Amino acid sequence: MSCTHIYCGDGKGKTTAALGLAVRAAGAGLRVHIVQILKGSPSSELESLKLLPNITVERLDKNYGFFSAMSDEDKRSVTERHDEMLRDAFRKMSDGDVDMLIIDELFAGYNYGLLDTALADRIVFERPDSCELVLTGRDPSERYLAAADYISEIKAVRHPYEKGLKARKGIEY
């Protein structure tokens, strides 16, 4: 039986935890598909993931910036791309083409209205027993929390950003 995992909270490390699980699964021969919501800027972990034959990644083709800075046209484009990625992920999961599906920052896309929420619900609530599902982001709904088998809350205690330190390659991206 497969399970649903949620990595949530306001701390750094939700994506890192999910990708660590992806690496472990790929090392065991499982097929992993990763969908990154709201992410399109270069990030160093992508270079490592490319080296692993059992892992595929779908994400935005460019960085649209923070939600508050997006134009209405940007929001439409992002939503269309998110919906394409989620439809593809749902098909792969349903057809048994992947053993693990990771949707990174699902809750941000969901909460900002930048994806088809009915499709996201289908992925969560119609997950076949053959597919491990991993979801990350802040502020998951109570319904999603109730559906999860694992919930790890990552709490921010201290972050160098508070002291003005910018994101560093290989650490934050």
Side-chain angles (χ1 to χ4, degrees), residues 96-121:
D97 294 341
V98 296
D99 304 302
M100 177 181 285
L101 173 60
I102 297 173
I103 307 178
D104 185 28
E105 292 297 346
L106 174 71
F107 309 126
Y110 195 101
N111 294 335
Y112 286 135
L114 293 174
L115 53 80
D116 179 343
T117 57
L119 179 55
D121 288 348

PDB file of all heavy atoms in Angstrom, residues 96-121:
ATOM      1  N   GLY A  96      -0.336   4.083 -13.965  1.00  0.00           N
ATOM      2  CA  GLY A  96       0.706   3.270 -13.347  1.00  0.00           C
ATOM      3  C   GLY A  96       2.088   3.520 -13.916  1.00  0.00           C
ATOM      4  O   GLY A  96       2.985   2.678 -13.780  1.00  0.00           O
ATOM      5  N   ASP A  97       2.294   4.675 -14.549  1.00  0.00           N
ATOM      6  CA  ASP A  97       3.587   5.000 -15.145  1.00  0.00           C
ATOM      7  C   ASP A  97       4.603   5.518 -14.131  1.00  0.00           C
ATOM      8  O   ASP A  97       5.787   5.637 -14.452  1.00  0.00           O
ATOM      9  CB  ASP A  97       3.425   6.055 -16.251  1.00  0.00           C
ATOM     10  CG  ASP A  97       2.630   5.526 -17.438  1.00  0.00           C
ATOM     11  OD1 ASP A  97       2.528   4.290 -17.582  1.00  0.00           O
ATOM     12  OD2 ASP A  97       2.100   6.355 -18.205  1.00  0.00           O
ATOM     13  N   VAL A  98       4.140   5.887 -12.937  1.00  0.00           N
ATOM     14  CA  VAL A  98       5.040   6.365 -11.884  1.00  0.00           C
ATOM     15  C   VAL A  98       4.693   5.663 -10.576  1.00  0.00           C
ATOM     16  O   VAL A  98       3.548   5.297 -10.335  1.00  0.00           O
ATOM     17  CB  VAL A  98       4.978   7.899 -11.701  1.00  0.00           C
ATOM     18  CG1 VAL A  98       5.469   8.612 -12.947  1.00  0.00           C
ATOM     19  CG2 VAL A  98       3.599   8.377 -11.330  1.00  0.00           C
ATOM     20  N   ASP A  99       5.719   5.484  -9.766  1.00  0.00           N
ATOM     21  CA  ASP A  99       5.540   4.884  -8.448  1.00  0.00           C
ATOM     22  C   ASP A  99       5.430   5.942  -7.360  1.00  0.00           C
ATOM     23  O   ASP A  99       4.888   5.675  -6.288  1.00  0.00           O
ATOM     24  CB  ASP A  99       6.725   3.961  -8.132  1.00  0.00           C
ATOM     25  CG  ASP A  99       6.903   2.889  -9.198  1.00  0.00           C
ATOM     26  OD1 ASP A  99       5.943   2.121  -9.419  1.00  0.00           O
ATOM     27  OD2 ASP A  99       7.991   2.844  -9.813  1.00  0.00           O
ATOM     28  N   MET A 100       5.979   7.119  -7.643  1.00  0.00           N
ATOM     29  CA  MET A 100       5.907   8.230  -6.700  1.00  0.00           C
ATOM     30  C   MET A 100       5.656   9.513  -7.479  1.00  0.00           C
ATOM     31  O   MET A 100       6.338   9.790  -8.470  1.00  0.00           O
ATOM     32  CB  MET A 100       7.214   8.370  -5.902  1.00  0.00           C
ATOM     33  CG  MET A 100       7.233   9.569  -4.955  1.00  0.00           C
ATOM     34  SD  MET A 100       8.792   9.721  -4.044  1.00  0.00           S
ATOM     35  CE  MET A 100       8.570   8.388  -2.856  1.00  0.00           C
ATOM     36  N   LEU A 101       4.684  10.279  -7.030  1.00  0.00           N
ATOM     37  CA  LEU A 101       4.388  11.591  -7.609  1.00  0.00           C
ATOM     38  C   LEU A 101       4.612  12.631  -6.523  1.00  0.00           C
ATOM     39  O   LEU A 101       4.028  12.536  -5.439  1.00  0.00           O
ATOM     40  CB  LEU A 101       2.938  11.647  -8.105  1.00  0.00           C
ATOM     41  CG  LEU A 101       2.436  13.005  -8.590  1.00  0.00           C
ATOM     42  CD1 LEU A 101       3.263  13.522  -9.761  1.00  0.00           C
ATOM     43  CD2 LEU A 101       0.951  12.915  -8.965  1.00  0.00           C
ATOM     44  N   ILE A 102       5.456  13.604  -6.830  1.00  0.00           N
ATOM     45  CA  ILE A 102       5.712  14.716  -5.916  1.00  0.00           C
ATOM     46  C   ILE A 102       5.158  15.978  -6.559  1.00  0.00           C
ATOM     47  O   ILE A 102       5.496  16.290  -7.704  1.00  0.00           O
ATOM     48  CB  ILE A 102       7.224  14.885  -5.645  1.00  0.00           C
ATOM     49  CG1 ILE A 102       7.766  13.643  -4.945  1.00  0.00           C
ATOM     50  CG2 ILE A 102       7.494  16.151  -4.832  1.00  0.00           C
ATOM     51  CD1 ILE A 102       9.276  13.633  -4.775  1.00  0.00           C
ATOM     52  N   ILE A 103       4.304  16.686  -5.826  1.00  0.00           N
ATOM     53  CA  ILE A 103       3.818  17.987  -6.306  1.00  0.00           C
ATOM     54  C   ILE A 103       4.314  19.025  -5.307  1.00  0.00           C
ATOM     55  O   ILE A 103       3.781  19.173  -4.205  1.00  0.00           O
ATOM     56  CB  ILE A 103       2.293  18.029  -6.472  1.00  0.00           C
ATOM     57  CG1 ILE A 103       1.822  16.866  -7.346  1.00  0.00           C
ATOM     58  CG2 ILE A 103       1.889  19.380  -7.085  1.00  0.00           C
ATOM     59  CD1 ILE A 103       0.325  16.781  -7.527  1.00  0.00           C
ATOM     60  N   ASP A 104       5.349  19.709  -5.727  1.00  0.00           N
ATOM     61  CA  ASP A 104       6.030  20.704  -4.906  1.00  0.00           C
ATOM     62  C   ASP A 104       5.273  22.030  -4.985  1.00  0.00           C
ATOM     63  O   ASP A 104       4.960  22.494  -6.083  1.00  0.00           O
ATOM     64  CB  ASP A 104       7.459  20.843  -5.435  1.00  0.00           C
ATOM     65  CG  ASP A 104       8.329  21.752  -4.611  1.00  0.00           C
ATOM     66  OD1 ASP A 104       8.098  21.881  -3.396  1.00  0.00           O
ATOM     67  OD2 ASP A 104       9.277  22.323  -5.200  1.00  0.00           O
ATOM     68  N   GLU A 105       4.986  22.611  -3.852  1.00  0.00           N
ATOM     69  CA  GLU A 105       4.249  23.880  -3.729  1.00  0.00           C
ATOM     70  C   GLU A 105       2.810  23.785  -4.226  1.00  0.00           C
ATOM     71  O   GLU A 105       2.230  24.777  -4.674  1.00  0.00           O
ATOM     72  CB  GLU A 105       4.983  25.030  -4.421  1.00  0.00           C
ATOM     73  CG  GLU A 105       6.276  25.425  -3.748  1.00  0.00           C
ATOM     74  CD  GLU A 105       6.134  25.956  -2.323  1.00  0.00           C
ATOM     75  OE1 GLU A 105       5.014  26.279  -1.890  1.00  0.00           O
ATOM     76  OE2 GLU A 105       7.166  26.050  -1.641  1.00  0.00           O
ATOM     77  N   LEU A 106       2.234  22.610  -4.103  1.00  0.00           N
ATOM     78  CA  LEU A 106       0.822  22.454  -4.488  1.00  0.00           C
ATOM     79  C   LEU A 106      -0.064  23.431  -3.735  1.00  0.00           C
ATOM     80  O   LEU A 106      -0.958  24.047  -4.311  1.00  0.00           O
ATOM     81  CB  LEU A 106       0.340  21.022  -4.232  1.00  0.00           C
ATOM     82  CG  LEU A 106      -1.164  20.825  -4.481  1.00  0.00           C
ATOM     83  CD1 LEU A 106      -1.454  20.882  -5.971  1.00  0.00           C
ATOM     84  CD2 LEU A 106      -1.660  19.537  -3.892  1.00  0.00           C
ATOM     85  N   PHE A 107       0.169  23.588  -2.453  1.00  0.00           N
ATOM     86  CA  PHE A 107      -0.744  24.392  -1.633  1.00  0.00           C
ATOM     87  C   PHE A 107      -0.702  25.872  -2.009  1.00  0.00           C
ATOM     88  O   PHE A 107      -1.728  26.543  -1.963  1.00  0.00           O
ATOM     89  CB  PHE A 107      -0.453  24.184  -0.148  1.00  0.00           C
ATOM     90  CG  PHE A 107      -0.398  22.731   0.229  1.00  0.00           C
ATOM     91  CD1 PHE A 107       0.689  22.202   0.887  1.00  0.00           C
ATOM     92  CD2 PHE A 107      -1.431  21.859  -0.130  1.00  0.00           C
ATOM     93  CE1 PHE A 107       0.751  20.851   1.212  1.00  0.00           C
ATOM     94  CE2 PHE A 107      -1.378  20.513   0.183  1.00  0.00           C
ATOM     95  CZ  PHE A 107      -0.286  20.012   0.859  1.00  0.00           C
ATOM     96  N   ALA A 108       0.452  26.374  -2.431  1.00  0.00           N
ATOM     97  CA  ALA A 108       0.522  27.768  -2.876  1.00  0.00           C
ATOM     98  C   ALA A 108      -0.312  27.950  -4.146  1.00  0.00           C
ATOM     99  O   ALA A 108      -1.118  28.885  -4.240  1.00  0.00           O
ATOM    100  CB  ALA A 108       1.964  28.183  -3.118  1.00  0.00           C
ATOM    101  N   GLY A 109      -0.120  27.075  -5.113  1.00  0.00           N
ATOM    102  CA  GLY A 109      -0.907  27.161  -6.345  1.00  0.00           C
ATOM    103  C   GLY A 109      -2.386  27.038  -6.075  1.00  0.00           C
ATOM    104  O   GLY A 109      -3.211  27.748  -6.666  1.00  0.00           O
ATOM    105  N   TYR A 110      -2.735  26.127  -5.188  1.00  0.00           N
ATOM    106  CA  TYR A 110      -4.141  25.896  -4.814  1.00  0.00           C
ATOM    107  C   TYR A 110      -4.720  27.133  -4.133  1.00  0.00           C
ATOM    108  O   TYR A 110      -5.777  27.640  -4.511  1.00  0.00           O
ATOM    109  CB  TYR A 110      -4.208  24.688  -3.884  1.00  0.00           C
ATOM    110  CG  TYR A 110      -5.579  24.096  -3.687  1.00  0.00           C
ATOM    111  CD1 TYR A 110      -5.950  22.948  -4.375  1.00  0.00           C
ATOM    112  CD2 TYR A 110      -6.495  24.650  -2.803  1.00  0.00           C
ATOM    113  CE1 TYR A 110      -7.202  22.370  -4.196  1.00  0.00           C
ATOM    114  CE2 TYR A 110      -7.749  24.087  -2.614  1.00  0.00           C
ATOM    115  CZ  TYR A 110      -8.095  22.948  -3.306  1.00  0.00           C
ATOM    116  OH  TYR A 110      -9.328  22.381  -3.128  1.00  0.00           O
ATOM    117  N   ASN A 111      -4.011  27.635  -3.134  1.00  0.00           N
ATOM    118  CA  ASN A 111      -4.523  28.755  -2.342  1.00  0.00           C
ATOM    119  C   ASN A 111      -4.566  30.068  -3.113  1.00  0.00           C
ATOM    120  O   ASN A 111      -5.406  30.920  -2.832  1.00  0.00           O
ATOM    121  CB  ASN A 111      -3.706  28.913  -1.054  1.00  0.00           C
ATOM    122  CG  ASN A 111      -3.877  27.725  -0.122  1.00  0.00           C
ATOM    123  OD1 ASN A 111      -4.887  27.022  -0.166  1.00  0.00           O
ATOM    124  ND2 ASN A 111      -2.886  27.483   0.712  1.00  0.00           N
ATOM    125  N   TYR A 112      -3.689  30.241  -4.104  1.00  0.00           N
ATOM    126  CA  TYR A 112      -3.691  31.445  -4.936  1.00  0.00           C
ATOM    127  C   TYR A 112      -4.629  31.328  -6.131  1.00  0.00           C
ATOM    128  O   TYR A 112      -4.753  32.268  -6.910  1.00  0.00           O
ATOM    129  CB  TYR A 112      -2.288  31.770  -5.447  1.00  0.00           C
ATOM    130  CG  TYR A 112      -1.348  32.331  -4.410  1.00  0.00           C
ATOM    131  CD1 TYR A 112      -0.047  31.861  -4.316  1.00  0.00           C
ATOM    132  CD2 TYR A 112      -1.738  33.340  -3.532  1.00  0.00           C
ATOM    133  CE1 TYR A 112       0.842  32.369  -3.382  1.00  0.00           C
ATOM    134  CE2 TYR A 112      -0.865  33.851  -2.595  1.00  0.00           C
ATOM    135  CZ  TYR A 112       0.423  33.366  -2.528  1.00  0.00           C
ATOM    136  OH  TYR A 112       1.299  33.872  -1.603  1.00  0.00           O
ATOM    137  N   GLY A 113      -5.254  30.177  -6.331  1.00  0.00           N
ATOM    138  CA  GLY A 113      -6.142  29.993  -7.474  1.00  0.00           C
ATOM    139  C   GLY A 113      -5.402  29.872  -8.788  1.00  0.00           C
ATOM    140  O   GLY A 113      -5.929  30.238  -9.839  1.00  0.00           O
ATOM    141  N   LEU A 114      -4.172  29.346  -8.747  1.00  0.00           N
ATOM    142  CA  LEU A 114      -3.352  29.241  -9.949  1.00  0.00           C
ATOM    143  C   LEU A 114      -3.300  27.826 -10.507  1.00  0.00           C
ATOM    144  O   LEU A 114      -2.351  27.447 -11.182  1.00  0.00           O
ATOM    145  CB  LEU A 114      -1.929  29.738  -9.652  1.00  0.00           C
ATOM    146  CG  LEU A 114      -1.816  31.227  -9.352  1.00  0.00           C
ATOM    147  CD1 LEU A 114      -0.396  31.587  -8.940  1.00  0.00           C
ATOM    148  CD2 LEU A 114      -2.250  32.066 -10.557  1.00  0.00           C
ATOM    149  N   LEU A 115      -4.335  27.058 -10.212  1.00  0.00           N
ATOM    150  CA  LEU A 115      -4.451  25.716 -10.775  1.00  0.00           C
ATOM    151  C   LEU A 115      -5.888  25.253 -10.638  1.00  0.00           C
ATOM    152  O   LEU A 115      -6.676  25.837  -9.890  1.00  0.00           O
ATOM    153  CB  LEU A 115      -3.464  24.739 -10.115  1.00  0.00           C
ATOM    154  CG  LEU A 115      -3.442  24.614  -8.597  1.00  0.00           C
ATOM    155  CD1 LEU A 115      -4.547  23.743  -8.051  1.00  0.00           C
ATOM    156  CD2 LEU A 115      -2.090  24.045  -8.185  1.00  0.00           C
ATOM    157  N   ASP A 116      -6.206  24.211 -11.368  1.00  0.00           N
ATOM    158  CA  ASP A 116      -7.542  23.612 -11.338  1.00  0.00           C
ATOM    159  C   ASP A 116      -7.680  22.849 -10.023  1.00  0.00           C
ATOM    160  O   ASP A 116      -7.113  21.759  -9.874  1.00  0.00           O
ATOM    161  CB  ASP A 116      -7.689  22.690 -12.546  1.00  0.00           C
ATOM    162  CG  ASP A 116      -9.032  21.990 -12.628  1.00  0.00           C
ATOM    163  OD1 ASP A 116      -9.769  21.937 -11.619  1.00  0.00           O
ATOM    164  OD2 ASP A 116      -9.337  21.466 -13.718  1.00  0.00           O
ATOM    165  N   THR A 117      -8.405  23.422  -9.084  1.00  0.00           N
ATOM    166  CA  THR A 117      -8.515  22.814  -7.757  1.00  0.00           C
ATOM    167  C   THR A 117      -9.247  21.473  -7.800  1.00  0.00           C
ATOM    168  O   THR A 117      -8.929  20.574  -7.023  1.00  0.00           O
ATOM    169  CB  THR A 117      -9.192  23.770  -6.759  1.00  0.00           C
ATOM    170  OG1 THR A 117     -10.478  24.141  -7.264  1.00  0.00           O
ATOM    171  CG2 THR A 117      -8.346  25.018  -6.539  1.00  0.00           C
ATOM    172  N   ALA A 118     -10.193  21.322  -8.712  1.00  0.00           N
ATOM    173  CA  ALA A 118     -10.889  20.035  -8.839  1.00  0.00           C
ATOM    174  C   ALA A 118      -9.918  18.946  -9.293  1.00  0.00           C
ATOM    175  O   ALA A 118      -9.981  17.804  -8.819  1.00  0.00           O
ATOM    176  CB  ALA A 118     -12.060  20.158  -9.810  1.00  0.00           C
ATOM    177  N   LEU A 119      -9.001  19.285 -10.180  1.00  0.00           N
ATOM    178  CA  LEU A 119      -7.999  18.330 -10.632  1.00  0.00           C
ATOM    179  C   LEU A 119      -7.031  17.989  -9.495  1.00  0.00           C
ATOM    180  O   LEU A 119      -6.686  16.826  -9.289  1.00  0.00           O
ATOM    181  CB  LEU A 119      -7.239  18.888 -11.839  1.00  0.00           C
ATOM    182  CG  LEU A 119      -6.132  18.016 -12.414  1.00  0.00           C
ATOM    183  CD1 LEU A 119      -6.631  16.620 -12.780  1.00  0.00           C
ATOM    184  CD2 LEU A 119      -5.518  18.709 -13.623  1.00  0.00           C
ATOM    185  N   ALA A 120      -6.613  18.991  -8.743  1.00  0.00           N
ATOM    186  CA  ALA A 120      -5.745  18.734  -7.586  1.00  0.00           C
ATOM    187  C   ALA A 120      -6.450  17.811  -6.599  1.00  0.00           C
ATOM    188  O   ALA A 120      -5.847  16.870  -6.070  1.00  0.00           O
ATOM    189  CB  ALA A 120      -5.355  20.050  -6.917  1.00  0.00           C
ATOM    190  N   ASP A 121      -7.723  18.050  -6.369  1.00  0.00           N
ATOM    191  CA  ASP A 121      -8.497  17.185  -5.466  1.00  0.00           C
ATOM    192  C   ASP A 121      -8.544  15.749  -5.995  1.00  0.00           C
ATOM    193  O   ASP A 121      -8.415  14.799  -5.222  1.00  0.00           O
ATOM    194  CB  ASP A 121      -9.927  17.711  -5.302  1.00  0.00           C
ATOM    195  CG  ASP A 121     -10.016  18.976  -4.475  1.00  0.00           C
ATOM    196  OD1 ASP A 121      -9.016  19.361  -3.828  1.00  0.00           O
ATOM    197  OD2 ASP A 121     -11.107  19.583  -4.461  1.00  0.00           O
TER     198      ASP A 121
END
